[in-house]
């Protein structure tokens, strides 16, 4: 398991963090934000988990396949795991 390669793009006050998951099973580790935002799954599929704390136990999970948009609630620790090789997602703030 590896972390995805990331690229950050900012245009007109919109921040996008693009995540390129090379292999199924690669993980964007648990983290949280102080604001709601969205994650666009543009290629492949992911398991999205809400955690009980930083890198904690999953209390909810859902699978998303491209094209789809994940609503990420503020102050909720979450983790994204690629389910397919070559999965691409973008967190949009």
């Amino acid at each position: 398991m590896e972390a995805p390669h990331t690229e950050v793009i900012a245009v007109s006050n919109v921040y996008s963090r693009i995540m390129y998951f090379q292999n199924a099973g690669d993980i964007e580790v648990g983290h949280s934000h102080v604001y709601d935002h969205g994650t666009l799954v543009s290629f492949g599929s992911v398991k999205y988990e809400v955690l009980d704390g930083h890198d904690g136990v999953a209390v909810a999970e859902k699978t998303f396949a491209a094209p789809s948009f994940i609503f990420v609630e503020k102050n909720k620790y979450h983790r994204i795991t690629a389910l397919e090789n070559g999965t691409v997602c973008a967190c949009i703030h």
Side-chain angles (χ1 to χ4, degrees):
M1 290 183 283
E2 299 286 330
H5 168 75
T6 61
E7 178 182 346
V8 174
I9 299 170
V11 177
S12 298
N13 296 324
V14 176
Y15 168 93
S16 296
R17 183 172 179 270
I18 304 168
M19 297 173 283
Y20 300 95
F21 295 87
Q22 184 174 0
N23 299 304
D26 287 352
I27 296 175
E28 176 65 17
V29 297
H31 61 282
S32 67
H33 306 272
V34 296
Y35 44 82
D36 295 333
H37 75 282
T39 297
L40 173 66
V41 182
S42 58
F43 187 85
S45 60
V46 298
K47 176 173 64 173
Y48 172 78
E49 298 170 287
V50 176
L51 309 175
D52 66 354
H54 187 271
D55 289 328
V57 175
V59 295
E61 70 176 56
K62 187 172 181 182
T63 299
F64 292 88
S68 59
F69 197 75
I70 304 168
F71 175 76
V72 180
E73 190 176 346
K74 68 180 178 181
N75 300 320
K76 298 281 185 175
Y77 280 91
H78 55 283
R79 175 172 54 216
I80 299 171
T81 304
L83 299 177
E84 299 179 46
N85 294 345
T87 293
V88 180
C89 299
C91 289
I92 303 168
H93 306 220

